[in-house]
Amino acid sequence: MADSICFINQKGGCGKSSTCFHLAGAFAAAGLRVLLIDADPQGSTSQGLLGSIAVEQLTIEQTTAGLFDEQNFFGDLSKIIRTTRFDGISLAPANQHLSRFNSPCPEQTGMDQFAMRDFIAQQVEADIVLIDCPPNLYRCSWNSMVAADYVVIPVPPEDFGTQGLRAVHQAVLNARKLNPDLRRLGHVVTRSDKRLLIHRSYEAKLRDTYADLVFSTVIPEASAFKVATACRKPVEYYQPSSVAASLTRALAREILDRISMKNKLRHVA
Ligand SMILES: Nc1ncnc2c1ncn2[C@@H]1O[C@H](COP(=O)(O)OP(=O)(O)OP(=O)(O)O)[C@@H](O)[C@H]1O
Ligand SMILES: [Mg+2]
């Protein structure tokens, strides 16, 4: 069974998609078979790999919306997964079709709460599953938490970035009622600018509050991430010698350490 991690924070723009996308590159380059699941109707991760026009044109059955659509009940869910031009990275894309399924009261959706979990259980080809969630705690995030083994919480070291954390932690506790093994793997400080005193002090405060539940690796605000995304490549493939790529590898290693998957790692720079 693959280890699955969902990236959750209801704060928009905190780096959930970016972290997922670039980590996928680091894991794949290290020899893992990665399945990226886009659980966000914005489809950022999907666009990062396929381009926005191609993503817009995908039908419900070709996207994660197919998991929730009653009309696709007997559909072939394997149609949702596609290979990408990067060895070892496959993608379950999302687009605008997912919006109408992302309802705000997910606990009332009965057995549909397990749709993502059942889908992931069928993915025997993957070593690791990364689920990119939207900036809210509605049905897509809920389904992801019910499905996943772990939660990673990307947090920019600023006031607005840290404000919603209690709600995220509460959502994890709630999801444990259906998925008792769900664990918080940690908070990852994202988009950090160490030159800013406010960023340094918020990071210190996070570490004071959550101690080991904060990854040592900090993801900086760096243009290499943006440019790599614009070139539709995880930074590992765009500029492997960059600091951005090296820190993404460090985060990938920490994640694997935390989930004791080191044995699955064939080579790490
Ligand atoms: N470490 C970084 N350095 C530079 N730019 C970044 C970094 N992380 C994210 N960005 C950029 O910031 C923007 C928002 O990032 P991203 O889409 O990953 O956030 P998100 O949390 O997924 O947003 P949403 O909540 O809307 O899903 C994107 O344009 C992305 O390229
Ligand atoms: Mg996103």
Side-chain angles (χ1 to χ4, degrees):
M1 278 285 280
D3 291 287
S4 50
I5 308 172
C6 60
F7 292 74
I8 301 255
N9 193 334
Q10 58 182 343
K11 165 80 185 146
C14 64
K16 296 177 288 295
S17 304
S18 181
T19 308
C20 257
F21 180 71
H22 297 296
L23 272 175
F27 285 131
L32 296 187
R33 294 165 303 171
V34 184
L35 171 60
L36 257 177
I37 297 184
D38 198 341
D40 183 354
Q42 294 181 94
S44 309
T45 315
S46 311
Q47 291 174 32
L49 282 164
L50 307 177
S52 50
I53 294 172
V55 169
E56 252 173 50
Q57 290 168 348
L58 296 172
T59 62
I60 290 190
E61 306 77 52
Q62 293 174 313
T63 66
T64 48
L67 300 177
F68 304 109
D69 185 12
E70 280 171 19
Q71 301 202 348
N72 196 39
F73 196 67
F74 295 109
D76 176 5
L77 295 185
S78 68
K79 276 191 192 159
I80 295 174
I81 298 179
R82 55 188 56 227
T83 54
T84 68
R85 63 198 174 105
F86 303 103
D87 268 355
I89 304 182
S90 26
L91 172 70
N95 64 8
Q96 66 283 352
H97 294 305
L98 189 55
S99 301
R100 72 183 161 97
F101 300 105
N102 195 25
S103 53
C105 298
E107 293 94 335
Q108 296 164 11
T109 56
M111 291 307 286
D112 283 356
Q113 294 171 91
F114 298 101
M116 180 81 79
R117 191 172 87 172
D118 294 346
F119 176 63
I120 291 176
Q122 294 166 21
Q123 307 312 318
V124 289
E125 308 255 297
D127 297 310
I128 190 157
V129 177
L130 307 177
I131 314 171
D132 181 21
C133 294
N136 52 59
L137 298 168
Y138 298 168
R139 190 177 179 192
C140 292
S141 299
W142 178 254
N143 250 267
S144 303
M145 287 188 287
V146 170
D149 300 304
Y150 306 101
V151 175
V152 167
I153 306 165
V155 192
E158 292 183 12
D159 208 33
F160 289 164
T162 50
Q163 270 171 9
L165 288 181
R166 237 177 265 140
V168 175
H169 295 156
Q170 186 57 51
V172 173
L173 290 179
N174 295 346
R176 278 198 193 130
K177 289 175 196 151
L178 295 184
N179 179 10
D181 296 331
L182 180 67
R183 281 181 47 203
R184 287 180 305 179
L185 208 53
H187 303 75
V188 55
V189 176
T190 50
R191 314 202 62 178
S192 167
D193 183 345
K194 291 265 182 191
R195 293 168 305 179
L196 302 179
L197 175 61
I198 190 79
H199 278 199
R200 295 199 302 274
S201 52
Y202 263 98
E203 184 186 329
K205 200 167 141 192
L206 259 184
R207 292 189 189 283
D208 267 1
T209 311
Y210 297 111
D212 284 352
L213 259 186
V214 183
F215 288 99
S216 317
T217 308
V218 170
I219 299 297
E221 182 79 15
S223 66
F225 288 119
K226 290 183 196 294
V227 181
T229 306
C231 295
R232 313 224 172 289
K233 290 181 179 181
V235 72
E236 177 68 31
Y237 293 91
Y238 170 71
Q239 204 173 41
S241 59
S242 62
V243 173
S246 154
L247 288 170
T248 305
R249 286 194 295 272
L251 178 61
R253 272 196 301 268
E254 263 198 85
I255 287 176
L256 294 180
D257 279 350
R258 286 185 185 214
I259 58 180
S260 308
M261 279 178 53
K262 267 167 118 180
N263 55 335
K264 290 189 181 175
L265 206 56
R266 286 182 220 144
H267 60 87
V268 179

